[in-house]
Amino acid sequence: MNPVQTIPNNVGVLGGGRMGAGIAHAFLTAGVDVVVVERDDAAAQAAHERVAGALAKSVERGTTEESLDTLTSRLSVSVDYASFAACGLVVEAVPEDFDLKSTALKAVEAQLSPTAWLATNTSSLSITKLADQLQRPANFCGLHFFNPVPASQLVEVVLAPETSEELAAASRSWVEALKKTAVVVHDAPGFASSRLGVAIALEAMRMVEEGVASAEDIDAAMVLGYKHPVGPLKTTDIVGLDVRLGIAEYLHSTLGERFAPPQILRDKVAKGELGRKSGKGFFDWEK
């Protein structure tokens, strides 16, 4: 077994974007081998650089006692789903689209042993409906990591009705081994974190839209008055306005009008103002 004891020796991550790279970083610094699978060679190379860069920062900050060479020696990237065959756990981290995730999860499951675990990093989509697409739904759960993964202390463990008790217990121990805190929720639209976080953010957007206050002052009220580390609008910029819009649309369809996306959000996404990744959202990130 690996030094952590609770995490499988070989972990896979499907998707090496910001979230996938962060998840890979978390498992690598916990002492296990990680394979990241991407759609093509260019994306795989970019994923390797992304993860290696995050590992280098951890070494510089002294948050790991291992050398960068040791950490990166446990990392591999691939464009072949068959690379997951030896993994005891694979975490899917592709974009928030049900059909895309469902197709990806089924393709991963086909490569895994009957005893391997499979998880999705979705922040809002139904774990139950995704599980319904799989051959072994008892081996499947949600592991909702938060952005940025290296700094975040939270992982939301989301259980579907068919998730096994063994996996429910194991997933909590994995999170503890990653030196993070697990909150366990039963599958419901938006789980706990996205449902509450998006509700606050949507109301903050409506306040900007109505001219109640500036984005800066609304965020300052939440940071100084309620001790939020980051305000809801800056958090939206960090997450991505397009991502927040997708989650809001899903919650609107499942939970009703209180999650209807404000027009200001739709307009900004249509203009390409997606937040930090585009340079502008509710705040200007290019200053």
Side-chain angles (χ1 to χ4, degrees), residues 25 29 53-66 71 150:
H25 170 279
T29 54
L55 292 170
K57 289 181 181 178
S58 292
V59 172
E60 290 170 8
R61 292 169 180 163
T63 56
T64 176
E65 295 180 357
E66 294 187 294
L71 290 164

Side-chain angles (χ1 to χ4, degrees), residues 204-226:
M205 294 174 205
R206 294 185 189 102
M207 291 168 68
V208 173
E209 194 171 53
E210 295 165 8
V212 173
S214 67
E216 291 82 359
D217 284 350
I218 291 168
D219 271 15
M222 298 307 294
V223 171
L224 300 175
Y226 288 87

Side-chain angles (χ1 to χ4, degrees), residues 4 8 41 48 52 56 81 86 89 98 106 160-161 163 166 192 200 218 222 244 246 249 257 267:
V4 183
D41 289 337
H48 191 283
Y81 278 48
L89 166 67
F98 183 87
K106 287 188 284 188
T163 303
E166 182 183 1
I200 294 170
I218 291 168
M222 298 307 294
R244 275 278 160 95
E249 288 177 331
E257 285 302 309
D267 290 345

Side-chain angles (χ1 to χ4, degrees), residues 19-189:
M19 290 305 299
I23 294 167
H25 170 279
F27 283 104
L28 286 162
T29 54
V32 302
D33 293 337
V34 175
V35 57
V36 177
V37 172
E38 262 289 2
R39 63 185 179 276
D40 55 39
D41 289 337
Q45 180 60 33
H48 191 283
E49 293 173 0
R50 203 171 286 121
V51 178
L55 292 170
K57 289 181 181 178
S58 292
V59 172
E60 290 170 8
R61 292 169 180 163
T63 56
T64 176
E65 295 180 357
E66 294 187 294
S67 70
L68 181 59
D69 286 345
T70 298
L71 290 164
T72 56
S73 71
R74 295 198 294 266
L75 170 66
S76 61
V77 296
S78 174
V79 297
D80 188 354
Y81 278 48
S83 301
F84 289 138
C87 292
L89 166 67
V90 175
V91 182
E92 165 271 311
V94 302
E96 287 285 288
D97 177 87
F98 183 87
D99 291 337
L100 176 62
K101 284 186 179 290
S102 175
T103 299
L105 287 165
K106 287 188 284 188
V108 173
E109 185 187 45
Q111 301 296 330
L112 301 180
S113 76
T115 59
W117 308 113
L118 181 59
T120 175
N121 184 53
T122 182
S123 56
S124 65
L125 298 177
S126 171
I127 303 299
T128 303
K129 290 182 179 178
L130 288 171
D132 288 344
Q133 308 297 309
L134 300 174
Q135 296 296 314
R136 298 184 292 276
N139 289 19
F140 177 71
C141 71
L143 288 178
H144 177 204
F145 289 80
F146 287 74
N147 184 26
V149 178
S152 174
Q153 296 301 303
L154 177 65
V155 179
E156 198 169 26
V157 176
V158 188
L159 308 179
E162 293 191 39
T163 303
S164 70
E165 292 184 7
E166 182 183 1
L167 176 54
S171 59
R172 290 191 290 269
S173 71
W174 299 336
V175 174
E176 182 179 348
L178 295 176
K179 298 181 181 178
K180 300 182 184 296
T181 299
V183 295
V184 180
V185 299
H186 294 281
D187 188 29

